[in-house]
Amino acid sequence: MSRRVLGWDRTAAVLVALVLLALGAAAVLWGAGQLTRVWSAAPEQLSTTPLDDVTATSWWRWTSTAAGAVLALLGLWWLLAHLPSTRVGPLRLPGSGRGGRSTVDGSSAVAAAAEVLGELPGVRASSGRLREVRGQVVADMSVTAGPRTDLAALSAGIDGVSSDLARVLGRDDVRSRVRVRIARRDRAAARVR
C-alpha cells in the first residue's frame, strides 16, 4: 500500500469516526431527552416531508445516479488500492553510503537468470520475476523440462544459476525459488513429407 493510500485511509477513518461519535452521542442524548441542553434548536420530532419533496423533483434521479456512479468508482479504486502488491522496486546495493545510493534493477537480473535457465539441457521454457513474499524478496523462477531430462544435472545447473544471481545482486537477503515442472510428453519430432 502506498503512502498516499495510507494517508487517505487515516484521514477517512478519522472523519468517519468523528461523524459516528457525534451521531451516537446525539442519539443517546436525544433518547434521554437531554439533546436540547447541548443543541437548543434540536427538534422534538423528525419529519421526512422535506426529503420527500426533494426526491420528487425531476433532477433527483440524475443527480443520485451520478453520485452513485462516482461512489461506486471511488469504492472500486479504494479496493484496488488495498490489494497487496508483490512488486519489488530497485534493490539497494551494499556499500551505499550517505554520499549516494547505489541500486540495481533486480527484475532485469532475474529475467536474465531465467533466460540462462532456459539454455540448460532439457529445458523447454523458463520464466522469472522478482517479488515480495511474506516480507522476503524472492527471485521466483520456473522451469519446464522434458520428461527425459537428467534431473541431477538440471539441479546442478539451477544451483549454479542461483549462485550467479546472488553474486550479481550482491545481497544476502534475496532468496531464490525455482519450480521445476516436468512436461508429460516428449516433443513430437517434425514430420517430413
Side-chain angles (χ1 to χ4, degrees), residues 52-138:
D52 292 338
D53 293 342
V54 169
T55 57
T57 60
S58 61
W59 56 265
W60 176 254
R61 177 186 291 174
W62 303 110
T63 304
S64 61
T65 301
V70 168
L71 288 174
L73 289 173
L74 181 63
L76 183 61
W77 172 81
W78 202 277
L79 287 174
L80 291 176
H82 285 81
L83 286 177
S85 174
T86 60
R87 190 176 65 172
V88 176
L91 298 173
R92 189 172 185 171
L93 293 175
S96 298
R98 293 182 185 177
R101 187 170 150 177
S102 300
T103 60
V104 65
D105 181 12
S107 298
S108 296
V110 172
E115 284 183 29
V116 173
L117 285 175
E119 295 172 3
L120 294 175
V123 174
R124 294 184 181 176
S126 63
S127 64
R129 67 182 188 155
L130 192 65
R131 54 188 233 155
E132 187 174 339
V133 179
R134 296 183 186 147
Q136 288 263 308
V137 179
V138 177

Coordinates of all heavy atoms in Angstrom, one line a residue, residues 52-138:
D52 N -39.0 14.0 1.2 CA -39.9 13.6 0.2 C -40.1 14.6 -0.9 O -40.2 14.3 -2.1 CB -41.3 13.3 0.8 CG -41.3 12.1 1.7 OD1 -40.4 11.3 1.6 OD2 -42.2 12.0 2.6
D53 N -40.0 15.9 -0.6 CA -40.1 17.0 -1.6 C -38.9 17.0 -2.5 O -39.1 17.1 -3.7 CB -40.3 18.3 -0.9 CG -41.6 18.5 -0.1 OD1 -42.5 17.7 -0.4 OD2 -41.6 19.4 0.8
V54 N -37.7 16.7 -2.0 CA -36.5 16.7 -2.8 C -36.5 15.5 -3.7 O -36.2 15.7 -4.9 CB -35.3 16.7 -1.9 CG1 -34.0 16.5 -2.7 CG2 -35.1 18.0 -1.1
T55 N -36.9 14.4 -3.2 CA -36.9 13.2 -4.1 C -37.9 13.2 -5.2 O -37.8 12.4 -6.1 CB -37.0 11.9 -3.2 OG1 -38.2 11.9 -2.5 CG2 -35.8 11.7 -2.3
A56 N -38.9 14.0 -5.0 CA -40.0 14.1 -6.0 C -39.6 15.0 -7.2 O -40.3 15.1 -8.2 CB -41.3 14.6 -5.4
T57 N -38.5 15.8 -7.1 CA -38.1 16.7 -8.1 C -37.5 15.9 -9.3 O -37.1 14.8 -9.2 CB -37.0 17.7 -7.6 OG1 -35.9 17.0 -7.2 CG2 -37.6 18.6 -6.5
S58 N -37.5 16.6 -10.5 CA -37.1 15.9 -11.7 C -35.6 15.7 -11.8 O -35.1 14.8 -12.4 CB -37.5 16.8 -13.0 OG -36.9 18.1 -12.9
W59 N -34.8 16.6 -11.1 CA -33.3 16.4 -11.2 C -32.8 15.4 -10.2 O -31.6 15.0 -10.3 CB -32.6 17.8 -10.9 CG -33.0 18.4 -9.6 CD1 -34.0 19.3 -9.4 CD2 -32.5 18.1 -8.3 NE1 -34.1 19.6 -8.0 CE2 -33.2 18.9 -7.3 CE3 -31.5 17.3 -7.8 CZ2 -32.9 18.9 -6.0 CZ3 -31.2 17.3 -6.5 CH2 -31.9 18.1 -5.6
W60 N -33.6 14.9 -9.3 CA -33.1 14.0 -8.3 C -32.6 12.6 -8.9 O -31.6 12.1 -8.5 CB -34.2 13.7 -7.3 CG -33.8 12.6 -6.3 CD1 -34.2 11.4 -6.2 CD2 -32.9 12.8 -5.2 NE1 -33.6 10.7 -5.2 CE2 -32.7 11.6 -4.5 CE3 -32.1 13.9 -4.7 CZ2 -31.9 11.4 -3.4 CZ3 -31.3 13.7 -3.7 CH2 -31.2 12.5 -3.0
R61 N -33.3 12.1 -9.8 CA -32.9 10.8 -10.4 C -31.5 10.9 -11.0 O -30.7 10.0 -10.8 CB -34.0 10.4 -11.5 CG -33.6 9.1 -12.2 CD -34.5 8.7 -13.3 NE -35.8 8.4 -12.8 CZ -36.8 8.1 -13.5 NH1 -36.7 8.3 -14.8 NH2 -38.0 7.8 -13.0
W62 N -31.3 11.9 -11.8 CA -30.0 12.1 -12.5 C -28.9 12.4 -11.5 O -27.8 11.8 -11.6 CB -30.1 13.1 -13.6 CG -31.2 12.8 -14.5 CD1 -32.3 13.5 -14.7 CD2 -31.2 11.7 -15.5 NE1 -33.1 12.9 -15.6 CE2 -32.5 11.8 -16.1 CE3 -30.4 10.7 -15.8 CZ2 -32.8 10.9 -17.1 CZ3 -30.7 9.8 -16.8 CH2 -32.0 9.9 -17.4
T63 N -29.2 13.2 -10.5 CA -28.1 13.5 -9.5 C -27.8 12.3 -8.7 O -26.6 12.0 -8.4 CB -28.7 14.6 -8.6 OG1 -29.0 15.7 -9.4 CG2 -27.6 15.1 -7.6
S64 N -28.8 11.5 -8.3 CA -28.5 10.3 -7.5 C -27.8 9.3 -8.3 O -26.9 8.6 -7.8 CB -29.8 9.8 -6.8 OG -30.7 9.4 -7.9
T65 N -28.1 9.2 -9.6 CA -27.4 8.2 -10.4 C -25.9 8.6 -10.6 O -25.0 7.8 -10.5 CB -28.1 8.1 -11.8 OG1 -29.4 7.8 -11.6 CG2 -27.4 7.1 -12.7
A66 N -25.7 9.9 -10.8 CA -24.3 10.3 -11.0 C -23.5 10.2 -9.7 O -22.4 9.7 -9.7 CB -24.3 11.8 -11.4
A67 N -24.1 10.5 -8.6 CA -23.5 10.3 -7.3 C -23.2 8.9 -7.0 O -22.1 8.5 -6.5 CB -24.3 11.0 -6.2
G68 N -24.1 8.0 -7.3 CA -23.9 6.6 -7.1 C -22.8 6.0 -8.0 O -22.0 5.2 -7.5
A69 N -22.7 6.5 -9.2 CA -21.6 6.1 -10.1 C -20.2 6.6 -9.6 O -19.3 5.8 -9.6 CB -21.8 6.6 -11.5
V70 N -20.2 7.8 -9.1 CA -18.9 8.3 -8.5 C -18.5 7.5 -7.3 O -17.4 7.2 -7.1 CB -19.1 9.8 -8.2 CG1 -17.9 10.3 -7.4 CG2 -19.2 10.6 -9.5
L71 N -19.5 7.2 -6.4 CA -19.2 6.5 -5.2 C -18.8 5.1 -5.5 O -17.9 4.5 -4.9 CB -20.4 6.5 -4.3 CG -20.7 7.8 -3.6 CD1 -22.0 7.7 -2.8 CD2 -19.6 8.2 -2.7
A72 N -19.4 4.4 -6.6 CA -19.0 3.1 -7.0 C -17.6 3.1 -7.5 O -16.8 2.2 -7.2 CB -20.0 2.5 -8.0
L73 N -17.2 4.1 -8.3 CA -15.9 4.2 -8.8 C -14.8 4.4 -7.7 O -13.8 3.8 -7.7 CB -15.7 5.2 -9.9 CG -16.4 4.9 -11.2 CD1 -16.4 6.1 -12.2 CD2 -15.8 3.7 -11.9
L74 N -15.2 5.3 -6.8 CA -14.4 5.5 -5.6 C -14.2 4.3 -4.8 O -13.0 4.0 -4.4 CB -14.9 6.7 -4.8 CG -14.1 7.1 -3.6 CD1 -12.8 7.7 -4.0 CD2 -14.9 8.1 -2.7
G75 N -15.2 3.5 -4.6 CA -15.1 2.3 -3.8 C -14.3 1.2 -4.6 O -13.5 0.5 -3.9
L76 N -14.4 1.2 -5.9 CA -13.6 0.3 -6.7 C -12.1 0.7 -6.6 O -11.2 -0.2 -6.4 CB -14.0 0.2 -8.1 CG -13.3 -0.7 -9.0 CD1 -13.5 -2.1 -8.6 CD2 -13.9 -0.5 -10.5
W77 N -11.8 2.0 -6.7 CA -10.4 2.4 -6.6 C -9.9 2.1 -5.2 O -8.8 1.7 -5.0 CB -10.4 3.9 -6.8 CG -9.0 4.5 -6.5 CD1 -7.9 4.5 -7.3 CD2 -8.6 5.1 -5.2 NE1 -6.8 5.0 -6.6 CE2 -7.2 5.4 -5.4 CE3 -9.3 5.4 -4.1 CZ2 -6.5 6.0 -4.3 CZ3 -8.6 6.0 -3.0 CH2 -7.2 6.3 -3.2
W78 N -10.7 2.3 -4.2 CA -10.3 2.0 -2.8 C -9.9 0.5 -2.6 O -8.9 0.2 -2.0 CB -11.4 2.4 -1.9 CG -11.0 2.7 -0.5 CD1 -10.8 1.8 0.5 CD2 -10.7 3.9 0.1 NE1 -10.4 2.4 1.7 CE2 -10.3 3.7 1.5 CE3 -10.8 5.2 -0.4 CZ2 -10.0 4.7 2.3 CZ3 -10.4 6.2 0.5 CH2 -10.1 6.0 1.8
L79 N -10.8 -0.4 -3.2 CA -10.5 -1.8 -3.1 C -9.2 -2.1 -3.8 O -8.3 -2.9 -3.3 CB -11.6 -2.6 -3.6 CG -12.9 -2.6 -2.7 CD1 -14.0 -3.4 -3.5 CD2 -12.6 -3.3 -1.4
L80 N -9.0 -1.6 -5.0 CA -7.8 -1.9 -5.8 C -6.6 -1.4 -5.2 O -5.5 -2.0 -5.3 CB -8.0 -1.4 -7.2 CG -9.0 -2.1 -8.1 CD1 -9.2 -1.4 -9.5 CD2 -8.7 -3.6 -8.3
A81 N -6.7 -0.2 -4.5 CA -5.5 0.4 -3.9 C -5.1 -0.5 -2.7 O -3.9 -0.4 -2.2 CB -5.8 1.8 -3.4
H82 N -6.0 -1.3 -2.1 CA -5.6 -2.1 -1.0 C -5.2 -3.5 -1.3 O -4.9 -4.3 -0.4 CB -6.8 -2.2 0.0 CG -6.9 -0.9 0.8 ND1 -7.6 0.2 0.2 CD2 -6.5 -0.5 2.0 CE1 -7.6 1.2 1.1 NE2 -6.9 0.8 2.2
L83 N -5.2 -3.9 -2.6 CA -4.7 -5.2 -3.0 C -3.2 -5.2 -2.7 O -2.4 -4.3 -2.9 CB -4.9 -5.4 -4.5 CG -6.3 -5.7 -4.9 CD1 -6.3 -5.8 -6.4 CD2 -6.8 -6.9 -4.3
P84 N -2.7 -6.3 -2.1 CA -1.3 -6.4 -1.8 C -0.5 -6.5 -3.0 O -0.8 -7.2 -3.9 CB -1.2 -7.7 -0.9 CG -2.4 -8.5 -1.3 CD -3.5 -7.5 -1.7
S85 N 0.6 -5.7 -3.1 CA 1.5 -5.7 -4.2 C 2.7 -6.5 -3.9 O 3.3 -6.4 -2.9 CB 1.9 -4.2 -4.5 OG 2.8 -4.2 -5.6
T86 N 3.0 -7.4 -4.9 CA 4.2 -8.2 -4.7 C 5.4 -7.6 -5.5 O 6.4 -8.2 -5.6 CB 4.0 -9.7 -5.1 OG1 3.6 -9.7 -6.5 CG2 2.8 -10.3 -4.3
R87 N 5.2 -6.5 -6.1 CA 6.2 -5.9 -7.0 C 7.3 -5.4 -6.1 O 7.1 -4.8 -5.0 CB 5.6 -4.8 -7.8 CG 6.5 -4.2 -8.9 CD 5.8 -3.2 -9.7 NE 5.5 -2.1 -8.8 CZ 5.0 -0.9 -9.2 NH1 4.8 -0.8 -10.5 NH2 4.8 0.0 -8.4
V88 N 8.6 -5.5 -6.6 CA 9.7 -5.1 -5.9 C 10.4 -4.0 -6.7 O 10.6 -4.2 -7.9 CB 10.7 -6.2 -5.6 CG1 12.0 -5.7 -4.9 CG2 10.1 -7.3 -4.7
G89 N 10.7 -2.9 -6.1 CA 11.4 -1.8 -6.8 C 12.9 -2.1 -6.9 O 13.4 -3.2 -6.7
P90 N 13.7 -1.0 -7.2 CA 15.1 -1.2 -7.3 C 15.7 -1.6 -5.9 O 15.2 -1.2 -4.9 CB 15.6 0.2 -7.7 CG 14.4 0.9 -8.3 CD 13.2 0.3 -7.6
L91 N 16.7 -2.5 -6.0 CA 17.3 -3.0 -4.7 C 18.5 -2.2 -4.4 O 19.3 -1.9 -5.3 CB 17.7 -4.5 -4.9 CG 16.6 -5.5 -5.2 CD1 17.2 -6.8 -5.5 CD2 15.6 -5.6 -4.0
R92 N 18.6 -1.8 -3.2 CA 19.8 -1.0 -2.7 C 21.0 -1.9 -2.6 O 20.9 -3.0 -1.9 CB 19.4 -0.3 -1.4 CG 20.5 0.7 -1.0 CD 20.0 1.5 0.2 NE 21.0 2.5 0.5 CZ 20.8 3.4 1.3 NH1 19.7 3.5 2.0 NH2 21.7 4.3 1.6
L93 N 22.1 -1.5 -3.1 CA 23.3 -2.4 -3.1 C 24.0 -2.1 -1.8 O 24.0 -1.0 -1.3 CB 24.2 -2.1 -4.3 CG 23.7 -2.5 -5.6 CD1 24.6 -2.0 -6.7 CD2 23.5 -4.0 -5.7
P94 N 24.7 -3.1 -1.3 CA 25.5 -2.9 -0.1 C 26.7 -1.9 -0.4 O 27.1 -1.9 -1.5 CB 26.1 -4.3 0.3 CG 25.7 -5.2 -0.8 CD 24.7 -4.5 -1.7
G95 N 27.1 -1.2 0.5 CA 28.2 -0.2 0.3 C 27.7 1.2 0.0 O 28.4 2.1 -0.1
S96 N 26.3 1.3 -0.2 CA 25.8 2.6 -0.4 C 25.9 3.4 0.9 O 25.4 3.0 1.9 CB 24.3 2.5 -0.8 OG 24.1 1.8 -2.0
G97 N 26.5 4.6 0.8 CA 26.7 5.4 2.0 C 25.9 6.6 2.0 O 24.9 6.8 1.2
R98 N 26.2 7.5 2.9 CA 25.5 8.8 3.0 C 25.7 9.7 1.7 O 24.8 10.5 1.4 CB 26.0 9.6 4.2 CG 25.6 8.9 5.5 CD 26.1 9.7 6.6 NE 25.8 8.9 7.9 CZ 26.2 9.4 9.0 NH1 26.8 10.5 9.2 NH2 25.9 8.6 10.1
G99 N 26.8 9.6 1.1 CA 27.0 10.4 -0.1 C 26.2 10.0 -1.3 O 26.1 10.8 -2.3
G100 N 25.7 8.8 -1.4 CA 25.0 8.4 -2.5 C 24.3 7.0 -2.3 O 24.5 6.4 -1.3
R101 N 23.5 6.7 -3.3 CA 22.8 5.4 -3.1 C 22.9 4.6 -4.4 O 22.5 5.1 -5.5 CB 21.3 5.8 -2.9 CG 20.5 4.6 -2.5 CD 19.1 5.1 -2.1 NE 18.1 4.1 -2.4 CZ 16.9 4.2 -2.1 NH1 16.5 5.3 -1.4 NH2 16.0 3.3 -2.4
S102 N 23.4 3.4 -4.3 CA 23.6 2.6 -5.5 C 22.5 1.5 -5.5 O 22.2 0.9 -4.5 CB 24.9 1.9 -5.5 OG 26.0 2.8 -5.5
T103 N 21.8 1.4 -6.6 CA 20.7 0.4 -6.7 C 20.9 -0.5 -7.9 O 21.7 -0.1 -8.9 CB 19.3 1.1 -6.8 OG1 19.3 1.9 -8.0 CG2 19.0 2.0 -5.6
V104 N 20.2 -1.6 -8.0 CA 20.2 -2.5 -9.1 C 18.8 -2.9 -9.4 O 17.9 -3.0 -8.5 CB 21.1 -3.7 -8.8 CG1 20.5 -4.6 -7.7 CG2 21.2 -4.6 -10.0
D105 N 18.5 -3.0 -10.7 CA 17.1 -3.4 -11.1 C 17.1 -5.0 -11.0 O 17.6 -5.7 -11.9 CB 16.9 -3.0 -12.6 CG 15.5 -3.4 -13.0 OD1 14.7 -3.8 -12.2 OD2 15.3 -3.3 -14.3
G106 N 16.6 -5.4 -9.9 CA 16.6 -6.9 -9.6 C 15.7 -7.6 -10.6 O 16.0 -8.8 -10.9
S107 N 14.7 -7.0 -11.1 CA 13.8 -7.7 -12.0 C 14.5 -8.1 -13.3 O 14.3 -9.2 -13.9 CB 12.6 -6.9 -12.4 OG 11.8 -6.6 -11.2
S108 N 15.4 -7.2 -13.8 CA 16.1 -7.5 -15.0 C 17.1 -8.6 -14.8 O 17.3 -9.5 -15.6 CB 16.9 -6.2 -15.5 OG 16.0 -5.2 -15.9
A109 N 17.7 -8.6 -13.6 CA 18.7 -9.7 -13.3 C 18.0 -11.0 -13.2 O 18.5 -12.0 -13.7 CB 19.4 -9.3 -12.0
V110 N 16.8 -11.1 -12.6 CA 16.1 -12.3 -12.5 C 15.6 -12.8 -13.9 O 15.7 -14.0 -14.2 CB 14.9 -12.2 -11.5 CG1 14.0 -13.4 -11.6 CG2 15.4 -11.9 -10.1
A111 N 15.2 -11.8 -14.8 CA 14.8 -12.2 -16.1 C 16.0 -12.8 -16.9 O 15.8 -13.8 -17.6 CB 14.2 -11.0 -16.8
A112 N 17.2 -12.2 -16.7 CA 18.4 -12.7 -17.3 C 18.7 -14.1 -16.8 O 19.1 -15.0 -17.6 CB 19.5 -11.8 -17.1
A113 N 18.6 -14.3 -15.5 CA 18.8 -15.6 -14.9 C 17.8 -16.7 -15.5 O 18.2 -17.8 -15.7 CB 18.7 -15.6 -13.4
A114 N 16.6 -16.3 -15.7 CA 15.6 -17.2 -16.2 C 16.0 -17.6 -17.7 O 15.8 -18.7 -18.1 CB 14.2 -16.6 -16.2
E115 N 16.5 -16.6 -18.4 CA 17.0 -16.9 -19.8 C 18.1 -17.9 -19.8 O 18.2 -18.8 -20.6 CB 17.4 -15.7 -20.5 CG 16.3 -14.8 -21.0 CD 16.8 -13.6 -21.7 OE1 17.8 -13.7 -22.4 OE2 16.1 -12.6 -21.7
V116 N 19.0 -17.8 -18.8 CA 20.1 -18.7 -18.7 C 19.6 -20.1 -18.3 O 20.1 -21.1 -18.8 CB 21.2 -18.2 -17.6 CG1 22.2 -19.3 -17.4 CG2 21.8 -17.0 -18.1
L117 N 18.6 -20.2 -17.4 CA 18.0 -21.5 -17.1 C 17.3 -22.1 -18.3 O 17.4 -23.3 -18.5 CB 16.9 -21.3 -16.0 CG 17.3 -21.0 -14.6 CD1 16.1 -20.7 -13.7 CD2 18.1 -22.2 -14.1
G118 N 16.8 -21.3 -19.2 CA 16.2 -21.8 -20.4 C 17.2 -22.4 -21.4 O 16.8 -23.2 -22.2
E119 N 18.5 -22.1 -21.2 CA 19.5 -22.7 -22.1 C 20.1 -24.0 -21.5 O 20.9 -24.6 -22.2 CB 20.6 -21.7 -22.3 CG 20.1 -20.4 -23.0 CD 21.2 -19.3 -23.0 OE1 22.3 -19.5 -22.5 OE2 20.9 -18.3 -23.6
L120 N 19.7 -24.4 -20.3 CA 20.2 -25.7 -19.7 C 19.6 -26.8 -20.6 O 18.5 -26.8 -21.1 CB 19.7 -25.8 -18.3 CG 20.3 -24.8 -17.3 CD1 19.7 -25.0 -15.9 CD2 21.9 -25.0 -17.2
P121 N 20.4 -27.9 -20.6 CA 19.9 -29.1 -21.4 C 18.6 -29.7 -20.9 O 18.5 -29.9 -19.7 CB 21.1 -30.1 -21.2 CG 22.2 -29.3 -20.7 CD 21.7 -28.1 -20.1
G122 N 17.7 -29.9 -21.8 CA 16.4 -30.5 -21.4 C 15.3 -29.5 -21.1 O 14.2 -29.9 -20.9
V123 N 15.7 -28.2 -20.9 CA 14.7 -27.2 -20.5 C 14.0 -26.7 -21.7 O 14.6 -26.3 -22.7 CB 15.4 -26.0 -19.7 CG1 14.4 -24.9 -19.5 CG2 16.0 -26.6 -18.5
R124 N 12.7 -26.7 -21.7 CA 11.8 -26.2 -22.8 C 11.4 -24.8 -22.6 O 11.3 -24.0 -23.6 CB 10.6 -27.1 -22.9 CG 10.8 -28.5 -23.3 CD 9.5 -29.2 -23.4 NE 9.7 -30.6 -23.8 CZ 8.8 -31.4 -23.9 NH1 7.5 -31.1 -23.7 NH2 9.0 -32.7 -24.2
A125 N 11.2 -24.4 -21.4 CA 10.7 -23.0 -21.2 C 11.1 -22.6 -19.8 O 11.3 -23.4 -18.9 CB 9.2 -22.9 -21.3
S126 N 11.3 -21.3 -19.6 CA 11.7 -20.7 -18.3 C 11.1 -19.3 -18.2 O 11.0 -18.6 -19.2 CB 13.2 -20.8 -18.1 OG 13.8 -19.9 -19.0
S127 N 10.9 -18.9 -17.0 CA 10.5 -17.5 -16.7 C 10.9 -17.2 -15.3 O 11.2 -18.1 -14.5 CB 8.9 -17.4 -16.9 OG 8.3 -18.2 -15.9
G128 N 10.9 -15.9 -15.0 CA 11.2 -15.5 -13.6 C 10.8 -14.0 -13.4 O 10.7 -13.2 -14.3
R129 N 10.6 -13.8 -12.1 CA 10.3 -12.4 -11.7 C 10.7 -12.2 -10.3 O 10.8 -13.2 -9.5 CB 8.9 -12.0 -11.9 CG 7.9 -12.7 -11.1 CD 6.5 -12.4 -11.4 NE 5.6 -12.9 -10.4 CZ 4.5 -12.5 -10.0 NH1 4.0 -11.4 -10.7 NH2 3.7 -13.0 -9.1
L130 N 11.0 -11.0 -9.9 CA 11.4 -10.6 -8.5 C 10.1 -10.2 -7.8 O 9.4 -9.3 -8.3 CB 12.4 -9.5 -8.5 CG 13.1 -9.3 -7.2 CD1 13.9 -10.5 -6.8 CD2 14.0 -8.0 -7.4
R131 N 9.8 -10.7 -6.7 CA 8.6 -10.3 -6.0 C 8.8 -10.4 -4.5 O 9.8 -11.0 -4.0 CB 7.4 -11.2 -6.4 CG 7.6 -12.6 -6.3 CD 6.5 -13.4 -6.9 NE 6.0 -14.4 -6.0 CZ 4.9 -14.9 -5.9 NH1 4.0 -14.6 -6.8 NH2 4.5 -15.8 -5.0
E132 N 7.9 -9.8 -3.7 CA 7.9 -9.9 -2.3 C 7.0 -10.9 -1.8 O 5.8 -10.9 -2.1 CB 7.6 -8.5 -1.7 CG 7.8 -8.5 -0.2 CD 7.6 -7.1 0.4 OE1 7.7 -6.1 -0.4 OE2 7.4 -7.0 1.6
V133 N 7.4 -11.8 -1.0 CA 6.6 -12.9 -0.4 C 6.8 -12.9 1.1 O 7.9 -13.2 1.6 CB 7.0 -14.3 -1.0 CG1 6.1 -15.4 -0.4 CG2 6.9 -14.3 -2.5
R134 N 5.8 -12.5 1.8 CA 5.8 -12.5 3.3 C 7.0 -11.7 3.8 O 7.7 -12.2 4.7 CB 5.8 -13.9 3.8 CG 4.5 -14.7 3.5 CD 4.5 -16.0 4.1 NE 3.3 -16.8 3.7 CZ 3.3 -18.1 3.5 NH1 4.4 -18.8 3.7 NH2 2.2 -18.6 3.1
G135 N 7.2 -10.6 3.2 CA 8.3 -9.7 3.7 C 9.7 -10.1 3.2 O 10.6 -9.4 3.6
Q136 N 9.8 -11.1 2.4 CA 11.1 -11.5 1.9 C 11.1 -11.2 0.4 O 10.1 -11.4 -0.3 CB 11.3 -13.0 2.1 CG 11.5 -13.4 3.5 CD 13.0 -13.6 3.8 OE1 13.7 -14.2 3.0 NE2 13.5 -12.9 4.8
V137 N 12.3 -10.8 -0.1 CA 12.5 -10.6 -1.5 C 12.9 -11.9 -2.1 O 13.9 -12.5 -1.7 CB 13.5 -9.5 -1.8 CG1 13.7 -9.3 -3.3 CG2 13.1 -8.2 -1.2
V138 N 12.1 -12.4 -3.1 CA 12.3 -13.7 -3.7 C 12.5 -13.6 -5.2 O 11.6 -13.0 -5.9 CB 11.1 -14.6 -3.3 CG1 11.3 -16.0 -4.0 CG2 10.9 -14.8 -1.8

